[in-house]
Every structure is written in structure tokens, then in C-alpha cells.
Amino acid sequence: MKKDFYLTRYALIIKKLESAPANYSQLEEYLLNSFEFQDAGIKSYSIRTLQRDIREISDLFNLSIHNKKKGDNRYYIESRPMMEVDEYNQKLLESFQVSNALNLHPDFADFIFFESRKPTGVEHFYDLFFAIRNKRVVTFEHYNYKNKLMTSRKVHPLALKESKDRWYLIAIDTKDKTLKSFGLDRINYLDVNATKFREKYKYNFREHFKNAFGVMNLTEQNPQKIVLKCSKHQGEYIRSFALHQSQKETKETPEDIYFEFFLHPTYDFMQEILSYGKEVKVLEPKNLVENVKKHLQESLNSYFED
């Protein structure tokens, strides 16, 4: 059994048991017939390896897999982690599957093409993660694209959030005690201080982000019901890959699909809507409709000015 193949095995075992319980023979048949095993040239999978894999899956993914001792001796997932851990596990599994495919086949560059834009700022990720867990004060220089200024910041780091392939630090700025977000790609000269902050902040970020789209000022707006009318063509894409977890399909006609959301009508969400052009129209709320109209009119005016 190839040593660098274990993550692929874990992903396949979880995938199989999530669909239905299976005994050793069924798992062995599923694994050996998978394209991953065939591609790697693996022709055997012992019960001893399965038992070791189950222990490792439990430690790594917090998934409890048990075996029904009576009857057909099937393995099944007994318990699942909390929702937030489950989201993390899913992303981890996806990363493992892609990573293993690339590691096993050095010629992947002829068949797999990544986005040419390179994410920046991720070199600060673990330092900030450490600072958050240990309540360490953090200082850094932060660049503002709007006013093109570099400013010194001293913050109490509280969370990290991903939005559109960018990572943001959510922190309390000690200068004005305000909750702010800082793009990791705009942070320079990061220093995690030995000093700890003692304040006990009561933010429930999971609850806040539940109604968020992108990165936002968490105190700026209340979440609202948002209704979109989408062309049938674009609606099919939005149906298959939801814009937000609150998305609900409310109506379908031969020409259109209607969706309802409950979230903060932020600038980030408006930009997402605008990216679909005439294929998506905002019906509610009125203030978002007016903001979209204003933005479109200003965009049109900029062309006439030329």
C-alpha cells in the first residue's frame, strides 16, 4: 500500500459510508474498483488496513465509525461533528483529494489548469490563527486601496474569514475599540506580541456570518429578506450553486426562477448581483433596488462622459 495514498483512502471510505453502511467485503470491492485505486495500481486492501484507517479517520476528522457486530457486520458512521467542524472537514477532504491526485501524477499540468491569480497574505495565516487562539495582541501595517495610505494598527484578533478566495482578519482596533476587517493581502510587518489582551468579547461570529455575504461591517446593517428574479438560464446555475446558505427557491415560470434570501444587503452582495447583468433583477427590498439602479446609472454615465 503506497504511503502517500492514505488520505485518498480516508476520503473514499467516508464517501462510501455516508451513502450507506457497508461490510468489509463491500468496502474492499468499492475501493479496489475506484478509479483512484486503479490509477495507483493497488490491488489489495486488508481488514487490518481498514481498521487502522477507521482509527485515523476518527482522530483526523472527528468521525466515529463503528461496526455492527451482529448480522451482516456492516460499518457505519455513528456520529457526525458539529456543523462548523463538518464544513471544515468537507473542505479538508476536498483539498486532500485534489492534492493526492496531483501528487500521484506529476504530469497533471497537461490536464489540470488552476486560476492564474495567486492568493497573497496566506503567509500570515498561522501566525494570526495562533494569536487568536492565545489572545495575543497583534501589530501590523495595513494598506488602504481607497486612500492609498499605509497605516499602523494595533488590534485584538478575534477571527479569520474567507471571502472569494481572499482571507480577512476580524479584529478590534484598539485605537477606537471598533470591530474591523483587514485583508491579509494588505498586511505587512506583522508582529504577534507576547502581551495578551484581557477583554472578553461576546461576539458570536458564527451567528453574525450566518447572514453575511462577503466581509462586512457587522454592526452596519440588519439582515433583510431579499428577492431576486433570475432568467431561467442563470437561475439554473444559481440553483445548483447557491449564492448563500439562506437561499430558497420560491417560484419558477417558463422564463424565470425566483429566489429569496435573508442576509445583510451589503455592497459585496450588490456587486455579486451586478456581475450577472440583465440575467438577475432585484425585486426586494426597495433600498437595494434603488442602490442597484443608482450604481447602474452611474456606470452608464461614465461611458457617456468619454
Side-chain angles (χ1 to χ4, degrees):
M1 188 70 66
K2 294 186 177 182
K3 290 183 178 179
D4 59 353
F5 196 68
Y6 63 97
L7 296 175
T8 296
R9 296 201 311 268
Y10 300 166
L12 288 169
I13 291 168
I14 292 171
K15 182 180 178 181
K16 175 63 176 174
L17 295 182
E18 280 184 329
S19 63
N23 59 33
Y24 163 67
S25 296
Q26 292 168 330
L27 277 168
E28 180 189 36
E29 181 182 11
Y30 173 76
L31 293 172
L32 295 180
N33 286 326
S34 69
F35 291 129
E36 289 88 344
F37 269 63
Q38 291 179 42
D39 228 6
I42 297 173
K43 302 185 182 299
S44 65
Y45 184 72
S46 69
I47 182 104
R48 184 177 177 183
T49 303
L50 171 61
Q51 291 168 344
R52 185 173 63 245
D53 285 350
I54 286 172
R55 290 195 298 270
E56 292 296 326
I57 288 171
S58 177
D59 291 340
L60 187 58
F61 297 105
N62 195 29
L63 280 175
S64 182
I65 297 175
H66 286 278
N67 176 236
K68 294 181 178 179
K69 299 299 181 184
K70 297 179 181 179
D72 55 9
N73 240 11
R74 291 185 299 170
Y75 291 89
Y76 63 99
I77 296 176
E78 182 184 59
S79 64
R80 297 199 61 82
M82 297 179 295
M83 182 181 71
E84 57 264 34
V85 179
D86 200 25
E87 290 172 358
Y88 160 79
N89 288 339
Q90 188 60 42
K91 287 220 170 190
L92 199 59
L93 274 173
E94 290 168 2
S95 298
F96 285 163
Q97 287 173 302
V98 173
S99 177
N100 274 273
L102 302 187
N103 286 334
L104 287 169
H105 301 284
D107 61 344
F108 70 84
D110 295 330
F111 315 104
I112 300 172
F113 301 92
F114 292 97
E115 179 64 60
S116 58
R117 292 182 299 179
K118 295 181 180 179
T120 58
V122 290
E123 68 271 16
H124 302 309
F125 189 93
Y126 193 85
D127 288 355
L128 290 169
F129 177 53
F130 174 87
I132 292 166
R133 287 173 54 241
N134 293 280
K135 296 185 180 297
R136 296 286 189 87
V137 175
V138 171
T139 57
F140 54 82
E141 299 288 312
H142 187 257
Y143 184 73
N144 187 307
Y145 288 136
K146 189 174 182 178
N147 57 31
K148 297 183 179 180
L149 291 177
M150 185 79 79
T151 55
S152 297
R153 305 289 181 137
K154 181 178 180 182
V155 305
H156 295 172
L158 301 180
L160 289 161
K161 188 178 189 303
E162 181 191 16
S163 177
K164 294 188 175 181
D165 297 322
R166 292 177 185 265
W167 280 97
Y168 296 84
L169 170 66
I170 311 298
I172 296 290
D173 193 330
T174 59
K175 184 177 180 179
D176 54 13
K177 303 296 182 182
T178 302
L179 186 67
K180 299 177 182 178
S181 63
F182 303 94
L184 266 60
D185 57 316
R186 288 174 276 153
I187 288 178
N188 293 291
Y189 309 111
L190 177 73
D191 181 48
V192 178
N193 301 176
T195 308
K196 291 190 174 186
F197 57 91
R198 296 182 180 181
E199 287 83 350
K200 293 183 179 180
Y201 300 105
K202 296 181 180 180
Y203 293 104
N204 184 336
F205 289 114
R206 179 151 297 278
E207 197 61 30
H208 279 297
F209 291 141
K210 183 176 72 174
N211 301 119
F213 187 92
V215 176
M216 47 168 285
N217 182 341
L218 299 178
T219 60
E220 192 175 79
Q221 298 166 300
N222 292 321
Q224 299 179 40
K225 183 177 82 170
I226 296 173
V227 179
L228 303 182
K229 182 177 80 169
C230 307
S231 68
K232 195 67 173 288
H233 173 74
Q234 189 60 58
E236 293 286 357
Y237 283 100
I238 294 174
R239 173 189 281 162
S240 65
F241 191 63
L243 297 182
H244 186 261
Q245 62 183 8
S246 67
Q247 177 174 308
K248 290 192 299 185
E249 186 176 329
T250 57
K251 187 169 71 172
E252 182 176 359
T253 69
E255 295 82 24
D256 304 300
I257 302 176
Y258 294 73
F259 295 100
E260 184 179 296
F261 304 84
F262 187 72
L263 46 74
H264 301 265
T266 58
Y267 182 77
D268 286 342
F269 188 66
M270 186 177 73
Q271 289 292 98
E272 182 72 18
I273 294 168
L274 289 166
S275 70
Y276 296 109
K278 64 183 179 63
E279 304 295 320
V280 174
K281 180 180 180 180
V282 182
L283 301 182
E284 295 181 38
K286 186 177 179 180
N287 64 316
L288 183 57
V289 173
E290 294 304 317
N291 284 338
V292 169
K293 285 182 178 178
K294 180 182 177 183
H295 191 93
L296 289 171
Q297 188 60 59
E298 289 175 349
S299 295
L300 188 60
N301 290 343
S302 70
Y303 283 94
F304 289 133
E305 288 171 2
D306 295 338

